[in-house]
Each structure stands twice: as structure tokens, then as C-alpha cells.
Amino acid sequence: MNKQQVFSIANEGEFNTAALTIFRHQARHCAVYRDFITGLKLDPANIKSIEEIPFLPIEFFKSHDVLSTTDPVQVTFTSSGTTGITTSSHYVTDVSWYEDSFRNAFKLFYGDIKSYTVLALLPSYLEREGSSLIYMADDLIRQSNNPDSGFFLYNHEDLSYQLKKKQEAKKPTLLIGVTFALLDFIEHHAINFPELIVMETGGMKGRRKEMIREELHDTLCKGFGVETIHSEYGMTELLSQAYSKGDGIFNCPPWMRIITRDTNDPMSIITDHKAGGINVIDLANINSCAFIATQDLGKVYPDGSFEVLGRFDNADIRGCNLLIA
């Protein structure tokens, strides 16, 4: 399975064929995934549909090298975490898969990156190493080929100047920001820029009180003078992202799929659009594991879009500790 086959997927049949092909490859070559499947007493040869594919609990990225190849690692992406908390490591042997994934997805949802000034307000990510979000934002900034594109740490005055400049020039502008930093910014620099795309990436990181999405987006809409807040759904363990253009409803690129599982039985897939644990199929993850059971709770709608409703607390995670050691 090559990149052209994955990133040109155009329909359900092509997705299912690619997913099953990658599953059989990873069931054979990804040691931790192979052991997980064996522990479930499943025979990969008997898996005939994507609904039957077992999903590897995301916690394995904290304790194992999740790799389906012996090629050398080019980049290691790591999750953020407080002191004393074990973080995830995603070993990427071919970073061009990540680059092609986010470049193609951005073009699909937003058009040509060269049309935008890309402003990134991601202080907590800039202050550590190994952030896949910083890697993506840096690439989008460079791909925009715009001298005004760039990162902002805590220099809110400079960011305010750039936003006002772009508003006056009526230039398409994308502001990617971690949630707490966006809130910090508008407390002192509220603007009215209706054409601005504000994309929040989540994350209070203990910096501010948690807010429900509706309250958060209402606050950000008022602070930036926009009608909707966009969001990105991604994580260290994935190489693809889903995007929301408002109301917290996300859509996946054609090579990514969300399936929900029963919270009491992780091997049981929900088919009636009720809330459940979020499983992700990310076919760009061809060299690690493309089938991941996350700790997020969500709901999938009939058109394939989805909503993130929250996260499991530790007491809710059942059946996901198999082989974690």
C-alpha cells in the first residue's frame, strides 16, 4: 500500500479495501499489535470487515514502540504531560506520510495554503520538543510563503498588530491557537475580524478553568468578532486530523474514519449513532498502527461526521489494559 493509494481514496469500497490490507500488514509486522490480537484470541485471517478489526488502546504508545517496520526512525512525536506523568511517543519512520496527510487534508477543507497568512499562537507547544502540532504549523507557515506568517509565544502586541493589518488589507488569515492562549489574548486584545478563521486546538493545560465547548466558543466568537470557531481533532499518536468549521462537528479526510465502541465492551462497535468511545482508523499511520482506541467519548452521525463529548475518567476504562506492562 503506497501513499498514492491511500491519499486518493474516493469512496467507501476503496477505504475498506485499503484498511483491511493495512490491517493484515500490521497484524503481522507490528509486534505489540500482533500480541494484542493474539491476546484477544483472534485470527487476523478471519477479519473480513473493518467493523471486526480490533483497535489498539492508545495507552500502548506510552509503554511500547508501536512500529510496523524496521526502517530507522526519522522523527519522534511526544505528547505533553505534567511532571511524573508518562507521555506517549509516536516513532515516525517516514515523516513524508505526515506531511502529505496534513497538506492534503488542509487543501481539502480550506483550499490552497498559499492564499493564507498563517498565525500560530501555541506557547505551551513551542516550549517543549517533539510536538506534532508544531511540526504541522511550522510546515503550513512555510508553505504559505507569506512573510507575515509565523509563531507567537506571549508577544500578544505583535499578534494584535498582524491581525489588524490583515483585517485592513482584507487578506485571508488563519489563526491556530491553543485554547488557553486564545482566551488570554482576547482578554487584552479583543478585535472584530469577521473574516478571520480562528482554529482552536484544545488544551487548558491547567492554565485556566475548564469550559464546556459552547461557552468557550461563544467567548472566543465575541473576542475575535467571528461567527464560528473552527477546531482541529488530532493527537500525537495519529498522522491525520479531522476539522470542524463550527458547532463542534468534525469531518475526516477520506483516509481517516471514526467508529465508536461500547464503553462497557471495547470489542463491541456502536452502530446506532449513540455515544461511545472513539476509535480512529488513520490509514496514514501505515508504519505504526492505523487502528487506535482513544480515551475520548463521542458520537458519530449518519454522514460520518462526529462530535467529541468528553473523555473517559480512569474508572470508565474497561478492557483496555490487556498486555499493558
Side-chain angles (χ1 to χ4, degrees), residues 28-308:
R28 187 180 308 115
H29 295 288
C30 180
V32 62
Y33 191 39
R34 181 176 64 239
D35 291 347
F36 177 71
I37 294 168
T38 300
L40 294 173
K41 296 180 170 54
L42 295 175
D43 182 351
N46 294 332
I47 303 296
K48 305 298 183 183
S49 69
I50 62 173
E51 289 78 16
E52 298 173 311
I53 292 174
F55 286 79
L56 185 73
I58 200 167
E59 296 95 323
F60 278 96
F61 283 85
K62 294 182 178 181
S63 56
H64 293 72
D65 297 350
V66 184
L67 286 165
S68 297
T69 176
T70 57
D71 292 342
V73 173
Q74 292 182 349
V75 176
T76 301
F77 293 131
T78 56
S79 62
S80 58
T82 56
T83 302
I85 299 297
T86 304
T87 57
S88 294
S89 294
H90 188 178
Y91 301 104
V92 181
T93 59
D94 185 352
V95 76
S96 69
W97 276 91
Y98 184 41
E99 294 168 346
D100 284 1
S101 179
F102 66 69
R103 288 173 185 172
N104 282 317
F106 187 90
K107 185 175 182 179
L108 177 68
F109 289 109
Y110 293 99
D112 188 354
I113 186 63
K114 290 182 172 57
S115 301
Y116 293 88
T117 301
V118 181
L119 309 176
L121 184 61
L122 302 166
S124 59
Y125 293 91
L126 276 173
E127 293 170 310
R128 68 176 183 85
E129 295 184 356
S131 167
S132 57
L133 178 59
I134 291 297
Y135 190 102
M136 179 179 75
D138 181 63
D139 185 85
L140 293 176
I141 286 168
R142 288 186 286 105
Q143 291 285 325
S144 74
N145 198 30
N146 187 318
D148 289 335
S149 294
F151 286 100
F152 297 83
L153 193 57
Y154 296 103
N155 45 338
H156 290 177
E157 293 287 347
D158 293 344
L159 176 58
S160 178
Y161 169 79
Q162 283 295 348
L163 287 170
K164 291 174 181 177
K165 175 182 174 182
K166 294 305 168 184
Q167 181 182 13
E168 291 171 1
K170 301 189 184 303
K171 295 292 186 182
T173 305
L174 168 66
L175 172 61
I176 305 174
V178 65
T179 305
F180 78 83
L182 293 173
L183 290 169
D184 288 349
F185 175 80
I186 61 173
E187 282 186 351
H188 303 286
H189 298 278
I191 62 171
N192 184 30
F193 191 170
E195 299 80 17
L196 176 67
I197 297 174
V198 180
M199 183 182 295
E200 59 99 1
T201 65
M204 290 298 191
K205 307 298 182 189
R207 309 283 185 105
R208 303 179 69 106
K209 73 176 183 69
E210 294 292 334
M211 302 168 68
I212 63 171
R213 177 182 55 79
E214 290 80 4
E215 179 189 5
L216 169 64
H217 284 199
D218 182 61
T219 302
L220 292 176
C221 281
K222 291 176 180 176
F224 287 102
V226 297
E227 291 188 2
T228 60
I229 299 298
H230 296 225
S231 303
E232 179 244 15
Y233 182 79
M235 56 192 71
T236 298
E237 299 84 358
L238 302 178
L239 293 185
S240 298
Q241 303 80 31
Y243 290 99
S244 167
K245 293 188 176 183
D247 300 322
I249 305 300
F250 291 88
N251 286 279
C252 295
W255 54 91
M256 180 182 180
R257 180 79 55 81
I258 302 297
I259 296 173
T260 47
R261 67 184 184 275
D262 190 311
T263 56
N264 293 305
D265 178 6
M267 294 305 296
S268 178
I269 298 301
I270 294 174
T271 58
D272 56 5
H273 312 298
K274 292 182 179 179
I278 290 180
N279 289 347
V280 181
I281 301 177
D282 177 11
L283 300 185
N285 261 13
I286 192 167
N287 292 324
S288 55
C289 183
F291 311 95
I292 298 174
T294 76
Q295 293 178 336
D296 293 330
L297 290 165
K299 180 186 295 186
V300 178
Y301 294 101
D303 64 355
S305 64
F306 69 99
E307 185 176 5
V308 181

